[in-house]
Amino acid sequence: MTVLTIKNATLLPVGGDREWLRGWMTVDADGRISGVGEGDPPATGGEVHDVAGAMVGPGFVSAHSHIYTGGMRGVAANSTLYPWVTRNTEMLLAAGAEDLYWLTLAGSFDFLANGITSAYNFTQSRVLALFDYTSSSMKAAAVRPLEFLTRQIDATSDAGIRFVASVRLDDEQLPEDEALGAFGAVMDYAKTTVPPNLYLGGSVYGSVQWSTSPATAERERTMMDRHGVTNQAHFVETAEQLDIQQAKFDWYDEAGVLGPDFAFGHFVHPTDRMIDRAAQTGCAMVWQPMSNGRLGSGIADIPRILATGMRVGIGLDDQSCTDLSDPFENMRTGLYTQRALHSDAAVLTPAQMLRLHTLGAASAIGAADRIGSLEVGKYADFIIVDPFDPDTGPVWDPVATYVLACSTRNLRAVYVGGHCAWAGSRSTHPLADQATRELHQRMVRVAAVNGFHPALRSQTHH
């Protein structure tokens, strides 16, 4: 049964053989796309929404995200990766499970407000750890109970965003049995408590880059097999201690981790051998253009990686190092840096960039059968973007205008499963306003325990 018809739309399906068409889309009672076509829609029941020629594209997918970080924008603004992540952790050392719930809920609403309807989410580990330059590893500064993780999962679920729940093993900071048992408990919790239509699966938060032994790779492989989950590892993200990072690639290879269920997050500084081996084994790669630029991490050679046939997706990364959760800005940053790097304006096209932040990202996290494009049978996650409000001029090429000229200021509405999650600059969720207040109050209070105080405070939300 059709419950919603979108008509008079400029559809950007991403999937299929057409970049755009003028037509319609229908949504069934299960929140899935039941039809897509050109021209006028068939006569059906349910709500009819005439979008007056506006563009309708798939909801953006962030294939690499740390959603709890929205209260730390602008922090360590001139720092590279490790000093920046250390500052983030120091600010959170006094946080409890309920603090992380509200930080994650607010971050999820922030993603939805920017047109991001699905995310691979790295939860903040219950082991709050600081990077040690001497051993190139993470040292525990505080350990929280299991609820610290499960409440983050509750928050993403409560917000109504689709997500992959990624959890770090912390096998070098905790006794092995405790670390692996906790991972399994959280995976079981997510599987049994999150509505199936929102849960895109569980995953290992790969951490070999900060381990001192190949045993971590072997344990991650064990968890993948035991719980039927994927793995995404931050890897060769920064030029700092690059030789140490690159040397650990073989730990994953020798443990049998590399394969279709594994993705390299960032992969900014791989060797040619690493790229070729990752492609040969079927791994994916997830690219964070704005984050890599903000932290001075480098520019991943995306055309080189795409040429191997690897699946590549895009993520927004931390809201505290991408700062602005704007997928349009993320696409443009990536497109322009690649063109500048290669001195070639044709090295990546707007259509390719749109695909990388939607269907490509969905493929990289193992969810392309459910999200990432406007195709019959997939979840009806879509955004309505009006290039004429504010006006961008005549539209000669809809995909080019969408990627190069539109932004969140043109965003009219965000739908998840055919239900409006955001419209008219407001979330439709009853907890959205409270989440904003809680973010301000809790982040300021928690950071103050360790001597961090904001220069400005909202007079509305404190």
Side-chain angles (χ1 to χ4, degrees), residues 68 96-105 108 121-127 144-159 163 165-168 170 181-195 199:
Y68 64 90
E98 285 308 298
D99 298 316
L100 265 293
Y101 172 84
W102 288 103
L103 298 184
T104 302
L105 188 67
S108 299
N121 183 39
F122 293 97
T123 54
Q124 166 58 56
S125 173
R126 69 192 189 101
V127 176
R144 296 286 180 260
L146 207 60
E147 186 183 23
F148 198 76
L149 294 168
T150 58
R151 288 299 281 155
Q152 293 177 66
I153 289 169
D154 291 341
T156 39
S157 178
D158 289 349
F163 67 100
S166 181
V167 175
R168 201 168 70 202
D170 297 313
F183 179 87
V186 176
M187 290 296 104
D188 290 343
Y189 180 87
K191 190 181 298 183
T192 55
T193 62
V194 179
Y199 191 50

Side-chain angles (χ1 to χ4, degrees), residues 215-260:
T216 294
E218 295 162 6
R219 292 167 186 146
E220 289 183 8
R221 175 76 262 176
T222 297
M223 292 298 96
M224 293 170 68
D225 292 341
R226 182 177 300 171
H227 300 285
V229 297
T230 63
N231 188 336
Q232 185 178 153
H234 294 68
F235 216 80
V236 291
E237 175 180 355
T238 176
E240 298 175 86
Q241 300 192 328
L242 186 56
D243 55 337
I244 297 174
Q245 297 179 62
Q246 291 175 340
K248 296 177 182 179
F249 176 86
D250 289 335
W251 294 1
Y252 270 135
D253 200 359
E254 291 164 3
V257 175
L258 304 185

Side-chain angles (χ1 to χ4, degrees), residues 3-4 27-31 380-382 414-422 428:
V3 297
L4 174 66
V27 180
D28 66 21
D30 292 327
D381 300 345
F382 60 92
V414 179
Y415 284 75
V416 179
H419 296 283
C420 185
W422 182 93
T428 62

Side-chain angles (χ1 to χ4, degrees), residues 139-368:
K139 300 294 185 183
V143 180
R144 296 286 180 260
L146 207 60
E147 186 183 23
F148 198 76
L149 294 168
T150 58
R151 288 299 281 155
Q152 293 177 66
I153 289 169
D154 291 341
T156 39
S157 178
D158 289 349
I161 192 170
R162 300 193 206 280
F163 67 100
V164 173
S166 181
V167 175
R168 201 168 70 202
L169 296 190
D170 297 313
D171 60 303
E172 291 195 340
Q173 292 78 32
L174 299 169
E176 181 179 351
D177 288 348
E178 179 184 348
L180 303 192
F183 179 87
V186 176
M187 290 296 104
D188 290 343
Y189 180 87
K191 190 181 298 183
T192 55
T193 62
V194 179
N197 63 322
L198 294 180
Y199 191 50
L200 298 176
S203 192
V204 175
Y205 180 156
S207 58
V208 161
Q209 178 164 310
W210 308 297
S211 296
T212 61
S213 163
T216 294
E218 295 162 6
R219 292 167 186 146
E220 289 183 8
R221 175 76 262 176
T222 297
M223 292 298 96
M224 293 170 68
D225 292 341
R226 182 177 300 171
H227 300 285
V229 297
T230 63
N231 188 336
Q232 185 178 153
H234 294 68
F235 216 80
V236 291
E237 175 180 355
T238 176
E240 298 175 86
Q241 300 192 328
L242 186 56
D243 55 337
I244 297 174
Q245 297 179 62
Q246 291 175 340
K248 296 177 182 179
F249 176 86
D250 289 335
W251 294 1
Y252 270 135
D253 200 359
E254 291 164 3
V257 175
L258 304 185
D261 292 331
F262 185 85
F264 286 103
H266 295 288
F267 220 42
V268 177
H269 300 284
T271 63
D272 284 343
R273 181 182 72 85
M274 291 164 62
I275 293 174
D276 292 340
R277 180 59 179 158
Q280 180 186 36
T281 53
C283 298
M285 178 267 193
V286 185
W287 174 31
Q288 285 63 247
M290 289 176 70
S291 168
N292 294 159
R294 204 272 215 186
L295 295 173
S297 297
I299 303 173
D301 191 344
I302 300 303
R304 162 77 171 94
I305 293 171
L306 287 171
T308 68
M310 280 182 70
R311 290 168 292 137
V312 177
I314 291 180
L316 268 296
D317 207 3
D318 291 64
Q319 283 140 307
S320 60
C321 69
T322 300
D323 299 286
L324 186 64
S325 304
D326 183 345
F328 293 97
E329 193 71 12
N330 207 30
M331 287 192 295
R332 282 191 286 272
T333 298
L335 181 63
Y336 298 159
T337 54
Q338 292 298 319
R339 289 181 173 188
L341 177 68
H342 291 272
S343 299
D344 181 358
V347 73
L348 277 180
T349 69
Q352 286 175 305
M353 288 303 302
L354 177 58
R355 186 180 185 90
L356 289 172
H357 221 331
T358 53
L359 189 57
S363 178
I365 63 174

Side-chain angles (χ1 to χ4, degrees), residues 437-459:
R437 291 194 301 271
E438 296 279 356
L439 169 71
H440 281 263
Q441 294 167 8
R442 290 174 180 272
M443 191 66 240
V444 170
R445 175 183 55 77
V446 166
V449 173
N450 287 293
F452 301 102
H453 305 280
L456 301 175
R457 290 194 64 179
S458 167
Q459 296 183 28

